[in-house]
Structure formats: C-alpha cells, structure tokens
C-alpha cells in the first residue's frame, strides 16, 4: 500500500502521460499506465481518455477488451453515473469477479441489470458460477429478480438458488413485486414465494404484499 506522499508523487509522474493520444491504437497492448492511474483515482485525467473511445470500440469480437481492460479504466472515473454511462455506451460486459465487484462498488444495488445480463451472456459454467458468487455479496431485495432469472436461465443456476435460499427475507421482499407484474418471471416468482411460504415465511410475504404500490 502506498503512503499518501508516494501516491501523490506517482500521480504527478503519470499525469503528463495520461492523454487520449497515448491510449494504445492496437488491441494487444496492455495499457499499464492507464490501469495504474485508474487504481490511483485519477478521475479528471482519465475522463477525456474514455470519452474519446468510439461507441463500437470493443464490440467487434468478444476478445477485443481482453488486453485493454477498459472496464477497469472506467471504474477509475469515480462518479457512479459516469461509470454507468460509459459501461452502457460501450456495451462492455462484466467478465470477471473483479469487474462485478467494481461495478457493485460504484452502483450498489441500483442497476443490477448490467450484472444479470453479463452473467446470462457467459457460456462457461465455472465462469458463470464465479460471477454469481461475486454478485452474491449484494444483500438487498433488488437482487431477488435478477437472481431468480439467473437461476432459471444462466449457466450457474445452483449458485443463484443458493442466494435466494440464504437471503429469504430479501428474496420475499423483491419477488413479491416481480410476481405482481405480468411477465416471464411472474410465474417463477410465485412458485418461489410458495416455497418460502412452506418454510414459514407467510407473514413476511403478507407484509411485502401490503407494501406494494396501490
């Protein structure tokens, strides 16, 4: 861990080099200085770099973001709204547990669709399970719907089911809302709530129903 004077000195050394023109033109060069700048929280220096990336910079093939790790650079922008803007603009998936944790650190439980969609796009069982485990640090009703969908459709159904079982209170609070809206998940949410009712959570379910918007 760097001391504050050491971190400040490193920022000063990096600052002249963190420019849009210095971002690698090819897709195989690891932008080490920019990744260090992101870790140091050099928000103002990194923002023009990220803003210069065209919307389709990393969309051509699945591997195009592998060496650049643009997700990690974007996390270095600091502002949650700006982080969300650029992840969505560039359509960057969260491919690793570190990406998931970085996203959650910025956005908390506010925009979990990005996590859900990233995991649904994973075709490898082991990788999907690791991502669901990283997602499982969220303990909030907002995670219930996405976790139910991951249980039904992802390559890591057991990991998602474990979250639903272990976080029954949050699951009930979130799934009542899912069950009340017509859609593909409503029937599955009702079935899950029935299983919670059998576990003795009927009172919690009733309370959650009472709190639904009229």
């Amino acid at each position: 861990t760097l001391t504050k004077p050491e971190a400040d000195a490193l920022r000063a050394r990096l600052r002249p080099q963190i420019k849009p023109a210095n971002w690698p033109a090819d897709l195989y060069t690891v932008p080490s200085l920019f990744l260090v700048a992101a870790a140091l929280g050099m928000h103002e220096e990194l923002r023009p770099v990220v803003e210069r990336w065209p919307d389709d910079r990393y969309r051509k093939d699945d591997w195009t973001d592998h060496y650049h790790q643009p997700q990690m650079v974007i996390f270095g922008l600091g502002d949650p709204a700006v982080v969300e803007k650029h992840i969505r603009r560039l359509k960057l998936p969260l491919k690793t547990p570190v990406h998931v944790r970085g996203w959650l650190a910025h956005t908390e439980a506010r925009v979990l669709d990005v996590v859900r969609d990233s995991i649904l796009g994973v075709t490898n069982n082991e990788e999907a399970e690791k991502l669901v485990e990283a997602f499982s640090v969220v303990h909030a009703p907002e995670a219930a719907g996405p976790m139910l969908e991951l249980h039904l459709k992802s390559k890591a159904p057991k990991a998602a089911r474990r979250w639903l079982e272990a976080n029954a209170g949050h699951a009930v609070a979130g799934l009542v809302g899912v069950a009340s809206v017509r859609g593909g998940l409503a029937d599955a949410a009702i079935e899950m709530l029935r299983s919670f009712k059998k576990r003795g959570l009927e009172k919690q379910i009733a309370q959650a129903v009472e709190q639904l918007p009229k």
Side-chain angles (χ1 to χ4, degrees):
T1 303
L2 296 175
T3 64
K4 186 179 184 305
E6 290 171 337
D8 289 341
L10 185 52
R11 290 188 190 97
R13 287 177 56 191
L14 289 176
R15 193 164 286 116
Q17 303 176 69
I18 306 303
K19 307 291 184 183
N22 292 336
W23 185 257
D26 69 89
L27 293 170
Y28 299 95
T29 300
V30 177
S32 302
L33 296 181
F34 293 85
L35 293 170
V36 172
L40 289 170
M42 298 178 68
H43 314 318
E44 296 305 315
E45 293 80 4
L46 289 170
R47 187 171 297 195
V49 175
V50 174
E51 289 175 346
R52 187 73 63 87
W53 298 340
D55 293 355
D56 61 353
R57 182 71 171 91
Y58 297 102
R59 293 184 196 171
K60 185 176 180 181
D61 294 297
D62 183 61
W63 66 271
T64 54
D65 63 343
H66 177 75
Y67 294 100
H68 283 187
Q69 289 292 304
Q71 297 92 336
M72 300 304 295
V73 176
I74 291 171
F75 294 151
L77 298 178
D79 185 329
V82 176
V83 169
E84 180 184 355
K85 170 188 172 182
H86 289 295
I87 289 288
R88 289 190 185 279
R89 175 178 71 82
L90 294 156
K91 291 183 167 57
L92 288 169
L94 309 175
K95 292 185 172 181
T96 70
V98 172
H99 290 169
V100 172
R101 288 193 290 269
W103 178 259
L104 295 174
H106 285 85
T107 64
E108 299 179 330
R110 187 171 56 83
V111 281
L112 298 179
D113 63 299
V114 173
V115 182
R116 177 201 64 204
D117 292 347
S118 296
I119 298 172
L120 288 175
V122 174
T123 57
N124 179 279
N125 295 22
E126 185 176 351
E127 290 178 9
E129 184 155 344
K130 288 179 180 178
L131 294 180
V132 172
E133 288 173 356
F135 183 17
S136 295
V137 301
V138 177
H139 300 287
E142 290 85 350
M147 280 295 187
L148 179 61
E149 193 163 354
L150 293 174
H151 170 58
L152 296 172
K153 301 177 183 179
S154 79
K155 293 294 183 179
K158 292 181 180 178
R161 177 77 184 211
R162 282 197 296 270
W163 184 93
L164 291 164
E165 297 287 351
N167 295 271
H170 292 309
V172 165
L175 293 180
V176 163
V178 176
S180 69
V181 179
R182 289 185 178 180
L185 285 181
D187 290 344
I190 291 169
E191 285 301 313
M192 184 65 67
L193 289 169
R194 284 174 178 160
S195 73
F196 287 136
K197 184 177 180 180
K198 292 177 181 178
R199 288 173 52 181
L201 298 177
E202 184 174 1
K203 182 177 179 180
Q204 289 91 323
I205 294 170
Q207 290 174 340
V209 169
E210 289 177 0
Q211 293 173 7
L212 287 173
K214 304 301 182 183

